[in-house]
Coordinates of all heavy atoms in Angstrom, one line a residue:
K1 N 104.2 -28.7 -15.5 CA 103.0 -29.0 -14.7 C 101.8 -29.2 -15.7 O 101.1 -30.1 -15.6 CB 102.7 -28.0 -13.7 CG 101.5 -28.3 -12.8 CD 101.2 -27.3 -11.8 CE 100.7 -26.0 -12.4 NZ 100.2 -25.0 -11.5
G2 N 101.7 -28.2 -16.6 CA 100.6 -28.3 -17.6 C 100.7 -29.5 -18.5 O 99.8 -30.2 -18.8
L3 N 102.0 -29.8 -18.9 CA 102.2 -31.0 -19.7 C 101.9 -32.3 -19.0 O 101.2 -33.2 -19.5 CB 103.7 -31.1 -20.1 CG 104.1 -32.2 -21.1 CD1 103.4 -32.0 -22.4 CD2 105.6 -32.2 -21.3
I4 N 102.2 -32.4 -17.7 CA 101.9 -33.6 -16.9 C 100.4 -33.7 -16.8 O 99.8 -34.8 -17.0 CB 102.6 -33.5 -15.5 CG1 104.1 -33.7 -15.7 CG2 102.0 -34.6 -14.6 CD1 104.9 -33.4 -14.4
F5 N 99.7 -32.6 -16.3 CA 98.3 -32.7 -16.1 C 97.4 -32.8 -17.3 O 96.3 -33.5 -17.3 CB 97.8 -31.6 -15.2 CG 98.2 -31.7 -13.8 CD1 98.9 -30.7 -13.2 CD2 97.8 -32.8 -13.0 CE1 99.3 -30.8 -11.9 CE2 98.2 -32.9 -11.7 CZ 99.0 -31.9 -11.1
N6 N 97.9 -32.2 -18.4 CA 97.0 -32.2 -19.6 C 97.4 -33.3 -20.6 O 96.6 -33.6 -21.5 CB 97.1 -30.9 -20.3 CG 96.6 -29.7 -19.5 OD1 95.7 -30.0 -18.7 ND2 97.2 -28.6 -19.6
V7 N 98.6 -33.9 -20.6 CA 99.0 -34.9 -21.5 C 99.4 -36.2 -20.9 O 98.8 -37.3 -21.2 CB 100.2 -34.4 -22.4 CG1 100.6 -35.4 -23.4 CG2 99.8 -33.1 -23.1
A8 N 100.3 -36.2 -19.9 CA 100.8 -37.4 -19.3 C 99.8 -38.2 -18.6 O 99.7 -39.4 -18.8 CB 102.0 -37.1 -18.5
I9 N 99.1 -37.6 -17.7 CA 98.1 -38.3 -16.9 C 97.0 -38.9 -17.7 O 96.7 -40.1 -17.6 CB 97.5 -37.5 -15.7 CG1 98.7 -37.2 -14.7 CG2 96.3 -38.1 -15.1 CD1 98.3 -36.3 -13.5
P10 N 96.4 -38.2 -18.7 CA 95.4 -38.8 -19.6 C 96.0 -39.9 -20.4 O 95.3 -41.0 -20.6 CB 94.9 -37.6 -20.4 CG 95.1 -36.4 -19.6 CD 96.4 -36.7 -18.9
A11 N 97.2 -39.7 -20.9 CA 97.8 -40.8 -21.7 C 98.1 -42.1 -20.8 O 97.8 -43.2 -21.3 CB 99.1 -40.3 -22.3
L12 N 98.5 -41.9 -19.6 CA 98.8 -43.0 -18.7 C 97.5 -43.7 -18.3 O 97.4 -44.9 -18.2 CB 99.5 -42.6 -17.5 CG 101.0 -42.2 -17.7 CD1 101.6 -41.6 -16.4 CD2 101.8 -43.4 -18.1
C13 N 96.4 -42.9 -18.2 CA 95.1 -43.5 -17.9 C 94.6 -44.4 -19.1 O 94.1 -45.5 -18.9 CB 94.1 -42.4 -17.6 SG 94.3 -41.7 -16.0
G14 N 94.8 -43.9 -20.3 CA 94.4 -44.7 -21.4 C 95.3 -45.9 -21.6 O 94.8 -47.0 -21.9
V15 N 96.6 -45.8 -21.3 CA 97.5 -47.0 -21.4 C 97.1 -48.0 -20.3 O 97.0 -49.2 -20.6 CB 98.9 -46.5 -21.3 CG1 99.8 -47.7 -21.0 CG2 99.4 -45.8 -22.5
F16 N 96.7 -47.5 -19.2 CA 96.3 -48.4 -18.1 C 95.1 -49.2 -18.5 O 95.0 -50.4 -18.3 CB 96.0 -47.6 -16.8 CG 95.4 -48.3 -15.7 CD1 96.2 -49.3 -15.0 CD2 94.1 -48.1 -15.3 CE1 95.6 -50.0 -13.9 CE2 93.6 -48.8 -14.2 CZ 94.3 -49.7 -13.6
V17 N 94.1 -48.5 -19.0 CA 92.9 -49.2 -19.5 C 93.2 -50.3 -20.6 O 92.7 -51.4 -20.5 CB 91.8 -48.2 -19.9 CG1 90.6 -48.9 -20.6 CG2 91.3 -47.4 -18.8
V18 N 94.0 -49.9 -21.5 CA 94.3 -50.8 -22.6 C 95.1 -52.0 -22.1 O 94.7 -53.2 -22.5 CB 95.1 -50.1 -23.7 CG1 95.7 -51.0 -24.7 CG2 94.2 -49.0 -24.4
I19 N 96.0 -51.8 -21.2 CA 96.8 -52.9 -20.7 C 95.9 -53.9 -19.9 O 96.0 -55.1 -20.0 CB 98.0 -52.4 -19.9 CG1 99.0 -51.8 -20.9 CG2 98.7 -53.5 -19.1 CD1 100.2 -51.1 -20.2
V20 N 95.1 -53.3 -19.0 CA 94.2 -54.1 -18.2 C 93.3 -54.9 -19.1 O 93.1 -56.1 -18.9 CB 93.5 -53.3 -17.2 CG1 92.3 -54.1 -16.5 CG2 94.4 -52.8 -16.1
G21 N 92.7 -54.3 -20.1 CA 91.8 -55.0 -21.0 C 92.4 -56.0 -21.8 O 91.9 -57.1 -22.0
W22 N 93.7 -55.8 -22.2 CA 94.4 -56.7 -23.0 C 94.9 -57.9 -22.2 O 94.8 -59.1 -22.7 CB 95.6 -56.0 -23.7 CG 96.4 -56.9 -24.6 CD1 95.9 -57.5 -25.7 CD2 97.7 -57.3 -24.5 NE1 97.0 -58.2 -26.3 CE2 98.1 -58.1 -25.5 CE3 98.7 -57.0 -23.5 CZ2 99.4 -58.6 -25.7 CZ3 100.0 -57.5 -23.7 CH2 100.3 -58.3 -24.7
K23 N 95.4 -57.7 -21.0 CA 95.9 -58.7 -20.2 C 94.8 -59.6 -19.6 O 94.9 -60.8 -19.5 CB 96.7 -58.2 -19.0 CG 98.0 -57.6 -19.4 CD 99.0 -58.7 -19.7 CE 100.4 -58.2 -19.9 NZ 101.4 -59.2 -20.1
T24 N 93.7 -59.0 -19.2 CA 92.6 -59.8 -18.5 C 91.6 -60.4 -19.5 O 91.1 -61.5 -19.3 CB 91.8 -59.0 -17.5 OG1 91.2 -57.9 -18.2 CG2 92.7 -58.5 -16.4
K25 N 91.4 -59.7 -20.6 CA 90.4 -60.1 -21.6 C 89.0 -60.4 -21.0 O 88.3 -61.3 -21.4 CB 90.9 -61.3 -22.4 CG 92.2 -61.0 -23.2 CD 92.5 -62.0 -24.3 CE 93.7 -61.8 -25.0 NZ 94.6 -60.8 -24.8
A26 N 88.7 -59.7 -20.0 CA 87.4 -59.9 -19.3 C 86.8 -58.5 -19.1 O 87.5 -57.5 -18.9 CB 87.7 -60.5 -17.9
P27 N 85.5 -58.4 -19.2 CA 84.8 -57.1 -19.1 C 84.8 -56.5 -17.7 O 85.0 -55.3 -17.6 CB 83.4 -57.4 -19.5 CG 83.2 -58.9 -19.3 CD 84.5 -59.5 -19.5
G28 N 84.8 -57.3 -16.7 CA 84.7 -56.8 -15.3 C 85.9 -55.9 -14.9 O 85.8 -54.7 -14.6
P29 N 87.1 -56.5 -15.0 CA 88.3 -55.7 -14.7 C 88.5 -54.5 -15.6 O 89.0 -53.5 -15.2 CB 89.5 -56.7 -14.8 CG 88.9 -58.0 -14.7 CD 87.5 -57.9 -15.2
T30 N 88.2 -54.7 -16.9 CA 88.3 -53.6 -17.8 C 87.4 -52.4 -17.5 O 87.8 -51.2 -17.5 CB 88.0 -54.0 -19.3 OG1 88.9 -55.2 -19.5 CG2 88.3 -52.9 -20.3
I31 N 86.2 -52.7 -17.1 CA 85.2 -51.7 -16.7 C 85.7 -51.0 -15.4 O 85.7 -49.8 -15.3 CB 83.8 -52.3 -16.5 CG1 83.2 -52.7 -17.8 CG2 82.9 -51.3 -15.8 CD1 82.0 -53.5 -17.7
M32 N 86.3 -51.7 -14.4 CA 86.8 -51.1 -13.2 C 88.0 -50.3 -13.6 O 88.2 -49.2 -13.0 CB 87.2 -52.2 -12.2 CG 86.0 -52.9 -11.5 SD 84.8 -51.7 -10.8 CE 85.8 -51.0 -9.6
A33 N 88.8 -50.7 -14.5 CA 90.0 -49.9 -14.9 C 89.5 -48.6 -15.6 O 90.1 -47.5 -15.3 CB 90.9 -50.7 -15.9
V34 N 88.5 -48.6 -16.3 CA 87.9 -47.4 -16.9 C 87.4 -46.5 -15.8 O 87.7 -45.3 -15.9 CB 86.8 -47.7 -17.9 CG1 86.0 -46.5 -18.3 CG2 87.4 -48.4 -19.1
I35 N 86.7 -47.0 -14.8 CA 86.2 -46.2 -13.7 C 87.4 -45.6 -12.9 O 87.4 -44.4 -12.7 CB 85.3 -47.0 -12.8 CG1 84.0 -47.4 -13.6 CG2 85.0 -46.3 -11.5 CD1 83.1 -48.4 -12.9
F36 N 88.4 -46.4 -12.6 CA 89.5 -45.8 -11.8 C 90.3 -44.8 -12.7 O 90.7 -43.7 -12.1 CB 90.5 -46.9 -11.4 CG 89.9 -47.8 -10.3 CD1 90.1 -49.2 -10.3 CD2 89.1 -47.3 -9.3 CE1 89.6 -50.0 -9.3 CE2 88.6 -48.1 -8.3 CZ 88.8 -49.4 -8.3
A37 N 90.5 -45.0 -14.0 CA 91.2 -44.1 -14.8 C 90.4 -42.8 -14.9 O 90.9 -41.7 -14.9 CB 91.4 -44.7 -16.2
A38 N 89.0 -42.9 -15.0 CA 88.2 -41.7 -15.1 C 88.3 -40.9 -13.8 O 88.3 -39.6 -13.9 CB 86.8 -42.1 -15.4
I39 N 88.4 -41.5 -12.7 CA 88.5 -40.8 -11.4 C 89.8 -40.1 -11.3 O 89.9 -38.9 -11.0 CB 88.3 -41.8 -10.2 CG1 86.9 -42.3 -10.1 CG2 88.8 -41.1 -8.9 CD1 86.7 -43.4 -9.1
V40 N 90.9 -40.8 -11.7 CA 92.2 -40.2 -11.6 C 92.3 -39.0 -12.6 O 92.8 -37.9 -12.3 CB 93.3 -41.2 -11.9 CG1 94.7 -40.5 -12.2 CG2 93.4 -42.2 -10.8
W41 N 91.8 -39.2 -13.8 CA 91.8 -38.2 -14.9 C 91.0 -37.0 -14.4 O 91.4 -35.8 -14.6 CB 91.3 -38.8 -16.2 CG 91.5 -37.9 -17.4 CD1 91.8 -36.6 -17.4 CD2 91.3 -38.3 -18.7 NE1 91.9 -36.2 -18.7 CE2 91.6 -37.2 -19.5 CE3 91.0 -39.5 -19.3 CZ2 91.5 -37.3 -20.9 CZ3 90.9 -39.6 -20.7 CH2 91.2 -38.5 -21.5

């Protein structure tokens, strides 16, 4: 549980932001991805 909450979820949030930013190459969706990742994290 500690590994999931302290390592896996933050890592997945970071990967999510990078993938959205790389795929869209637009600031709007990337900013929203950062906001959603911050909420989940």
